[in-house]
Amino acid sequence: MNQSAEIILVYDKECPACDNYCRMVRIRGDIGEFVLLDARDPSAVLDEITALGWDIDQGMVLKMDSQLYYGADAIHALALISSQSGFFNRLNYWLFKSKRLAQIFYPVLRALRNLLLKLLRKTKINNLGINNNTRF
């Protein structure tokens, strides 16, 4: 991957936990430019996600080159390219560097996130256009 590559992370900016995580995570400088995209805003990447049938309300998406990673795979891939500078990034790397650990921890974190959004009365993004699917 070259330095001019864009590494795009698509997430729900209205989720305080997601927003804080995405703003704190850092990737290595030699990987490329790290771009955060709010999944509540229309974008070509969100169109790709929807075409794949992925529910953005149930997982963030990382795009590197033309490859997309969803949910636990996204957080695992992100850990592998992280800078490991600072406590948060070292902890993130340690928790998610293993695909198996990512598959264990991610659903737990997603459930806590969904509970938080329910308590905050946030609406779902519902990129798949599912009827009666507006609330967490």
Side-chain angles (χ1 to χ4, degrees), residues 105-135:
F105 288 126
Y106 192 82
V108 174
L109 294 172
R110 183 182 61 221
L112 292 172
R113 169 204 183 265
N114 289 349
L115 177 61
L116 173 63
L117 293 180
K118 184 178 185 78
L119 293 171
L120 293 174
R121 299 177 180 255
K122 296 291 183 181
T123 58
K124 287 186 175 182
I125 297 167
N126 194 18
N127 64 306
L128 299 178
I130 300 167
N131 289 335
N132 301 316
N133 186 39
T134 58
R135 292 277 172 202

Side-chain angles (χ1 to χ4, degrees), residues 5 10 19 21-23 43 59 67 80 83-84 88 105 114 116:
V10 184
D19 193 41
Y21 172 85
C22 292
R23 290 183 184 282
S43 69
Q67 183 70 41
L80 295 180
S83 71
Q84 299 177 47
F88 175 81
F105 288 126
N114 289 349
L116 173 63

